[in-house]
Amino acid sequence: MKGFFEGWRSYLQEGETTEPVRSDPMLDKTSEKNIIGGREAQQSGVNIIDFDSSAVREIAQALADKLGALLGEELGRGAMGIVYEIRGIGGEGADMILKVTQFPHEKRGYTLTRWKRRELAKNPELASILPEVGDIVDIIYDFKEGWFRGRSIKIYGIPVERLEPLPPRIKEQLFGHGGGFKNPEAEKEWLQAITDPNLLIPVLRETFSDDHTIDADNQMHSTLGEREYAYFEGRMNSGIEFENEVLDLEPPRSFQDYLTRWLPQISRRAVRRAQPVTRYSSMNQPPDRLIQRQSLSLAKRLEGRIRIPQYPPEALKYFGQEGAYPRGDENPQVADFFNKLMKLRDHGVDFWDTHSDNVMMRPLTNEIVVSDVGLFKQPKER
């Protein structure tokens, strides 16, 4: 089976016989008919990120030639393309990157970004959140063998300013820890926030709530809107006692302690308060099992409510995560990034794919920049 898949991958990859062909301003009808879309090719298992290094470099070289640039080394590969360093002929240093991709939406996103930076020329501070994008070029790549033999695909070359990865502390402040803190101070702040009663109590009530409850005969009934602690014996009164027990627990000393001691202690205390039943039914799980299942979502609910810093509510739509009001002591670069991101909407720009892998930093100014704008559209097109 392994040999089959390796053989299939080799069958799809292009060898030394494949040649990139530069696109002409006008394609004849036959050429247009033979072109396959980048997304269609991907759905059939063909993506240039799977091509071997020599074949992809030929493509990148053809694109760099059209830009009049010198091609440097390959910097990395992602789901949407391959990145090379480039510099202008006669220039010093690689101050740009070339993104090589087969996906038209990538070209469109970066084209819109280029236009928007021009439009914001009178507001350079706001425009700084967007990357500088050069002229986008393309070539027509002919498949000489494999599944798409005789067909072609358009490959785009997108020159973008070269940015640097975010410092770990700022990355944590923007996107949370992801289960692995790079900074002891950030871990301490997160643990303090996660055990804050103002955050913790509402999450406990949300976690152990349901629209139904089960009586001593193991019969299910509606809670009639009183959802909190639906499966606890004594319902809300028991729930309040449970909350006090949780608050009396020794706070977690580390993220590992939070996972391995603190959360299981909460779960066990919740299960102990389950409504006892006198009979069991194959139709209904007993309350202790239901509470145990509810407790599995506690960590996700807690961690979904707290980030460092907690996002202001108006920024949440750009991150797709829950949050709370900012603490006010986050790095000024972080607050500045949030403000710019939200202000861009007033200028017709809307991001919804802002995550830790597509935000970087401009090294000369330390400005935070949305580096990958392939999923950028104007709001009216959403």
Side-chain angles (χ1 to χ4, degrees), residues 46-268:
V46 177
N47 191 330
I48 61 169
I49 66 171
D50 295 322
F51 287 16
D52 61 45
S53 297
S54 59
V56 177
R57 189 168 184 85
E58 284 187 40
I59 297 173
Q61 185 64 64
L63 292 167
D65 290 345
K66 296 192 80 171
L67 289 168
L70 297 176
L71 185 67
E73 64 179 11
E74 180 181 320
L75 298 177
R77 302 189 179 204
M80 293 293 146
I82 305 168
V83 176
Y84 289 86
E85 62 179 8
I86 58 172
R87 66 174 183 267
I89 295 178
E92 295 183 2
D95 55 356
M96 298 284 285
I97 63 169
L98 178 66
K99 185 170 186 177
V100 181
T101 179
Q102 68 191 51
F103 299 102
H105 76 265
E106 290 282 308
K107 175 193 175 183
R108 188 166 184 272
Y110 282 95
T111 300
L112 289 171
T113 299
R114 191 163 184 251
W115 291 347
K116 189 56 60 176
R117 279 191 63 97
R118 289 179 181 176
E119 186 180 310
L120 293 172
K122 295 182 179 179
N123 193 345
E125 184 176 353
L126 181 58
S128 68
I129 195 175
L130 300 174
E132 294 184 8
V133 180
D135 293 326
I136 299 175
V137 295
D138 62 69
I139 62 170
I140 302 299
Y141 181 83
D142 294 330
F143 291 99
K144 301 296 185 182
E145 56 183 293
W147 185 260
F148 291 119
R149 181 179 181 180
R151 302 195 67 180
S152 304
I153 188 172
K154 185 173 286 189
I155 307 292
Y156 304 96
I158 306 172
V160 186
E161 69 170 307
R162 188 163 187 174
L163 302 165
E164 299 293 334
L166 290 175
R169 176 61 171 148
I170 292 180
K171 192 170 185 178
E172 283 176 350
Q173 287 180 317
L174 277 173
F175 301 105
H177 59 88
F181 288 97
K182 305 291 190 302
N183 185 290
E185 181 186 351
E187 183 176 19
K188 181 179 178 181
E189 289 179 6
W190 189 86
L191 292 170
Q192 289 175 344
I194 213 79
T195 54
D196 183 344
N198 294 323
L199 171 75
L200 179 56
I201 297 303
V203 173
L204 289 175
R205 294 184 180 185
E206 178 186 0
T207 301
F208 297 106
S209 295
D210 204 329
D211 291 324
H212 299 88
T213 185
I214 293 178
D215 61 21
D217 293 327
N218 206 7
Q219 297 299 309
M220 185 170 288
H221 305 277
S222 171
T223 58
L224 300 176
E226 298 179 2
R227 305 180 70 253
E228 289 82 1
Y229 303 112
Y231 300 114
F232 281 35
E233 182 182 20
R235 303 286 296 282
M236 192 62 187
N237 289 335
S238 180
I240 292 174
E241 294 175 0
F242 162 71
E243 292 169 0
N244 290 329
E245 287 183 354
V246 172
L247 295 177
D248 288 338
L249 290 173
E250 179 187 356
R253 297 179 295 274
S254 65
F255 184 72
Q256 186 70 19
D257 188 42
Y258 155 81
L259 287 177
T260 60
R261 177 189 61 84
W262 192 71
L263 285 176
Q265 285 179 340
I266 294 176
S267 177
R268 287 195 295 269

Side-chain angles (χ1 to χ4, degrees), residues 92 94-96 128 132 161-165 167 333 360-369:
E92 295 183 2
D95 55 356
M96 298 284 285
S128 68
E132 294 184 8
E161 69 170 307
R162 188 163 187 174
L163 302 165
E164 299 293 334
Q333 293 164 289
M360 301 182 77
M361 180 171 282
R362 189 170 284 119
L364 295 180
T365 60
N366 290 335
E367 294 166 310
I368 301 175
V369 181

